[in-house]
């Protein structure tokens, strides 16, 4: 009796973590080796999900009990090495630039798009109004993809309070009282005893609006 004539699938290429359908024909009993990464080593049609490039050999037995073998190689491409960058913090209404890294020729896709200047570049500007976790999906030239995330924390602005308006006679002095932060800067500095404290003394010679920057 002749040996069975085997038909077998072409060698597929997958990304790490994916699987590929492989098959063989020409007999009634099938035994695949090695069994690592196979969904079923004793069937004609099966799925292979090896962690590294692997050659699978199938032993095919026909109705006469004659045996023949053939092989198929499942090529495994590694996932790209990527990073979404370090977590960062900004103040409300400020922005920061994100910096993702990946292999040469990679394609980038950021989600969510809220607050981003561009979702398909590696370094968009982010201006969220609330703390947001941004995820970047990086696809390499082998169409293998991997994702990473970066957290942009948004701090609320301090409750700046410059105090109430006041009136003085010319050449008199009044003390200002600002609150809401840890550092203060008054402008203009004209007529102030110290423009960098919360409670400077003011003796302007004309009506003046003082603005305090609270940090």
């Amino acid at each position: 009796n002749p040996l069975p004539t085997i038909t077998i699938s072409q060698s597929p290429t997958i990304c790490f973590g994916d699987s590929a359908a492989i098959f063989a024909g020409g007999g009634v009993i099938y035994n695949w080796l090695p069994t690592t990464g196979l969904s079923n080593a004793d069937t004609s049609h099966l799925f292979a999900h090896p962690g590294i490039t692997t050659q699978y050999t199938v032993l095919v037995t026909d109705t006469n009990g004659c045996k023949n073998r053939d092989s198929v190689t499942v090529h495994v491409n590694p996932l790209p090495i990527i990073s979404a960058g370090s977590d960062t913090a900004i103040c409300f209404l400020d922005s920061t630039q994100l910096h993702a890294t990946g292999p040469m020729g990679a394609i980038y896709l950021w989600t969510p798009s809220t607050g981003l200047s561009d979702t398909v570049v590696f370094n968009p500007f982010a201006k969220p109004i609330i703390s947001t976790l941004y995820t970047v999906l990086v696809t390499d030239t082998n169409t293998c993809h991997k994702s990473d995330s970066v957290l942009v924390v948004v701090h609320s602005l301090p409750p700046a309070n410059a105090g109430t308006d006041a009136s003085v006679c010319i050449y008199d002095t009044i003390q200002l009282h600002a609150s809401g932060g840890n550092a203060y800067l008054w402008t203009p500095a004209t007529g102030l005893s110290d423009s960098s404290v919360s409670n400077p003394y003011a003796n302007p010679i004309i009506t003046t609006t003082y603005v305090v920057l609270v940090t």
Side-chain angles (χ1 to χ4, degrees), residues 76-138:
V76 180
N77 288 324
L79 299 183
I81 299 174
I82 71 162
S83 173
S86 302
D87 294 344
T88 188
I90 61 174
C91 295
F92 180 72
L93 297 182
D94 284 349
S95 65
T96 185
Q97 190 170 19
L98 306 181
H99 292 276
T101 58
M104 186 72 70
I107 298 173
Y108 298 84
L109 179 62
W110 292 89
T111 55
S113 60
T114 306
L116 294 183
S117 60
D118 196 327
T119 60
V120 294
V121 296
F122 75 95
N123 59 346
F125 285 92
K127 190 178 181 180
I129 59 175
I130 60 173
S131 296
T132 302
L133 183 70
Y134 289 106
T135 299
V136 61
L137 179 69
V138 182

